[in-house]
Amino acid sequence: MKNKVFLLLFDARMKTSSDRHNYSAFLRKLKGEGFVSLQKSVYMRNFCGSRPLKEETKRIRRFTPESIQVRILELPVKTFAAMGNVNCDLPKLAQDTDVICV
């Protein structure tokens, strides 16, 4: 099985109270799917398995409102861990090399 990281980058329109409500609901769903925040509009998920990017994109599309634009990038964990970091640390989730896949 492949250990990979999905990086999810998004931009949310926040013009109305409905937009703000949709944004909050979107964040709750993202967190429910196992994504953790790297920055305000950048989330990541460490995934062990063979789920393709196309399938993950379909899952995210189901609960993404029209007011939010989303990009998803799939990276091997080693590539993600090799990213340069200034004034920040990688989440503990992405640093674990001993992942057990069930």
Side-chain angles (χ1 to χ4, degrees), residues 44-68:
M44 59 87 53
R45 179 179 180 200
N46 193 15
F47 188 80
C48 184
S50 58
R51 177 182 294 163
L53 178 62
K54 195 175 209 175
E55 185 178 325
E56 187 67 20
T57 301
K58 283 181 187 177
R59 290 171 58 85
I60 300 299
R61 182 176 284 131
R62 283 187 218 136
F63 61 83
T64 302
E66 292 289 322
S67 60
I68 299 178

Side-chain angles (χ1 to χ4, degrees), residues 20-62:
R20 288 187 289 281
H21 174 75
N22 288 339
Y23 173 76
S24 295
F26 175 73
L27 291 183
R28 281 192 302 276
K29 288 292 255 175
L30 270 185
K31 291 173 185 175
E33 289 283 322
F35 282 86
V36 294
S37 175
L38 291 178
Q39 294 180 346
K40 190 172 183 176
S41 62
V42 179
Y43 279 67
M44 59 87 53
R45 179 179 180 200
N46 193 15
F47 188 80
C48 184
S50 58
R51 177 182 294 163
L53 178 62
K54 195 175 209 175
E55 185 178 325
E56 187 67 20
T57 301
K58 283 181 187 177
R59 290 171 58 85
I60 300 299
R61 182 176 284 131
R62 283 187 218 136

Side-chain angles (χ1 to χ4, degrees), residues 58-102:
K58 283 181 187 177
R59 290 171 58 85
I60 300 299
R61 182 176 284 131
R62 283 187 218 136
F63 61 83
T64 302
E66 292 289 322
S67 60
I68 299 178
Q69 298 176 351
V70 175
R71 302 285 184 266
I72 304 173
L73 175 65
E74 178 184 327
L75 297 171
V77 169
K78 288 183 180 185
T79 301
F80 180 76
M83 286 187 340
N85 297 290
V86 177
N87 296 333
C88 61
D89 295 319
L90 289 177
K92 176 95 172 89
L93 196 63
Q95 293 174 346
D96 291 339
T97 55
D98 299 325
V99 177
I100 299 173
C101 303
V102 182

